[in-house]
C-alpha cells in the first residue's frame, strides 16, 4: 500500500476522531438500554467521541402510570386503554430485541424517578468510572436487582466501579442536581423529547437506535 493512501486514511481517521455526538439516555427507558451497546460499537468503529448525557423522561405525562404489587398485579393505575396497549406493545418489542442482543428486560413494578441515577452518571464521569457504572446500572435495573432511587444503592455501585464516593451525597443534593437540570434545559432547547437521542455537532437530532446507520453514513462523509 502506498504512502499516500496510508496518509489519506490516517487523515480521515483523525478528522473523524475529532467529531463528537451528544447521546441523551435515561436508565428507565428500555429503548435507551437497547441502544447502549450499539452506541459503544459506533464509538469504537468510527472513532467518534460520544458524550453520554442524562435526560429524565416524564413518562406519566404521556403514558400514564401504574404500579404492580408483589404478585405482579396492577395495584394502582392512571392509564387509559390506548396507553396500556402502547405500553404492552413497547415491552413486547423491546423484549424481542433484548433477546437478540442477549439482554434481560423485566418490566419495572412502578415508574421510577431516575434522576438520582442520572446524577450518579454525572458523578461517575467525574470519577472516570462512567462505563462501569453505566453498564451496571442499566443491567441491574432491568433485571429488577437495583433501586435507582436509592442513594445508598447508587453509591455502592460507584464504589464497586472504583469511585471515591465521599463527595457523592453532597453532589447528589447540590451541584449534581443543578447540573442535571441544566442538561435537561439544554436538551429541550435542542428539541430533545425522548431517548435515545443523538445530537450531532451541526444540531441535527436523531431519536432512536434505528437511525444509527444514517449516523454512520454522516460520520463517514468527509467533513466540510
Amino acid at each position: 500500500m502506498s504512502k499516500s493512501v496510508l496518509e489519506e486514511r490516517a487523515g480521515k481517521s483523525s478528522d473523524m476522531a475529532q467529531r463528537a455526538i451528544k447521546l441523551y439516555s435515561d436508565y428507565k427507558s428500555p429503548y435507551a438500554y437497547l441502544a447502549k451497546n450499539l452506541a459503544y460499537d459506533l464509538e469504537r468503529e468510527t472513532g467518534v467521541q460520544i458524550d453520554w448525557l442524562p435526560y429524565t423522561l416524564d413518562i406519566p405525562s404521556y403514558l400514564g402510570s401504574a404500579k404492580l404489587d408483589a404478585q405482579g398485579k396492577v395495584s394502582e393505575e392512571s392509564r387509559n386503554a390506548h396507553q396500556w396497549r402502547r405500553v404492552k406493545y413497547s415491552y413486547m418489542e423491546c423484549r424481542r430485541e433484548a433477546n437478540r442482543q442477549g439482554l434481560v428486560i423485566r418490566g419495572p413494578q412502578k415508574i421510577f424517578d431516575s434522576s438520582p441515577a442520572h446524577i450518579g452518571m454525572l458523578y461517575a464521569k467525574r470519577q472516570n468510572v462512567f462505563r462501569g457504572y453505566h453498564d451496571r446500572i442499566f443491567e441491574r435495573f432491568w433485571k429488577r436487582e437495583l433501586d435507582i432511587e436509592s442513594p445508598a444503592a447508587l453509591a455502592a455501585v460507584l464504589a464497586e466501579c472504583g469511585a471515591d464516593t465521599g463527595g457523592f451525597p453532597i453532589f447528589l443534593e447540590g451541584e449534581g442536581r443543578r447540573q442535571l437540570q441544566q442538561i435537561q434545559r439544554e436538551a429541550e432547547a435542542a428539541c430533545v423529547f425522548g431517548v435515545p437521542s443523538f445530537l450531532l455537532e451541526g444540531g441535527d437530532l436523531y431519536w432512536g437506535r434505528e437511525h444509527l446507520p444514517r449516523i454512520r453514513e454522516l460520520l463517514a462523509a468527509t467533513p466540510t
Side-chain angles (χ1 to χ4, degrees):
M1 188 176 294
S2 69
K3 182 179 178 182
S4 61
V5 172
L6 289 172
E7 289 175 345
E8 180 182 359
R9 289 188 176 180
K12 287 183 178 180
S13 296
S14 177
D15 287 339
M16 191 174 289
Q18 295 173 8
R19 303 192 68 177
I21 291 176
K22 291 182 179 180
L23 173 47
Y24 293 93
S25 187
D26 187 340
Y27 290 121
K28 66 176 177 287
S29 166
Y31 293 102
Y33 185 25
L34 294 172
K36 175 177 70 71
N37 290 339
L38 300 178
Y40 288 165
D41 292 343
L42 178 73
E43 191 170 38
R44 182 182 65 253
E45 295 168 6
T46 68
V48 70
Q49 180 182 352
I50 293 181
D51 184 13
W52 292 82
L53 295 168
Y55 182 80
T56 307
L57 296 171
D58 181 10
I59 294 177
S61 68
Y62 58 92
L63 280 180
S65 63
K67 187 174 182 179
L68 305 182
D69 61 22
Q71 289 72 44
K73 296 181 179 180
V74 176
S75 59
E76 300 175 20
E77 66 169 307
S78 61
R79 282 181 179 146
N80 58 38
H82 174 78
Q83 290 170 328
W84 271 116
R85 290 195 299 272
R86 286 182 62 188
V87 169
K88 289 176 180 178
Y89 175 80
S90 294
Y91 277 108
M92 180 175 65
E93 178 186 43
C94 287
R95 287 192 182 101
R96 282 197 294 253
E97 178 62 17
N99 290 336
R100 196 180 69 82
Q101 292 191 30
L103 303 175
V104 174
I105 287 183
R106 300 182 64 199
Q109 293 179 296
K110 68 171 188 175
I111 297 177
F112 282 78
D113 174 12
S114 50
S115 61
H118 290 161
I119 297 172
M121 179 202 295
L122 299 175
Y123 192 83
K125 290 172 73 174
R126 285 191 170 196
Q127 292 283 313
N128 297 315
V129 297
F130 166 75
R131 183 71 71 93
Y133 175 87
H134 201 51
D135 290 345
R136 287 170 173 82
I137 296 294
F138 262 130
E139 180 180 3
R140 294 175 187 177
F141 175 71
W142 287 103
K143 287 182 175 179
R144 294 186 185 172
E145 295 175 351
L146 178 70
D147 180 355
I148 57 172
E149 295 179 346
S150 168
L154 297 171
V157 174
L158 285 164
E160 181 182 334
C161 295
D164 178 354
T165 59
F168 180 59
I170 295 175
F171 184 81
L172 180 64
E173 297 301 325
E175 182 183 354
R177 178 70 60 180
R178 293 190 294 273
Q179 187 178 349
L180 178 64
Q181 292 169 346
Q182 180 62 30
I183 290 170
Q184 192 94 1
R185 287 192 293 268
E186 292 174 357
E188 290 171 355
C191 294
V192 173
F193 63 93
V195 297
S197 282
F198 301 83
L199 183 61
L200 278 57
E201 288 179 320
D204 286 343
L205 181 67
Y206 293 86
W207 173 47
R209 69 183 188 279
E210 63 270 25
H211 294 292
L212 281 168
R214 175 56 179 158
I215 293 172
R216 282 179 178 273
E217 292 176 0
L218 293 170
L219 292 173
T222 303
T224 56

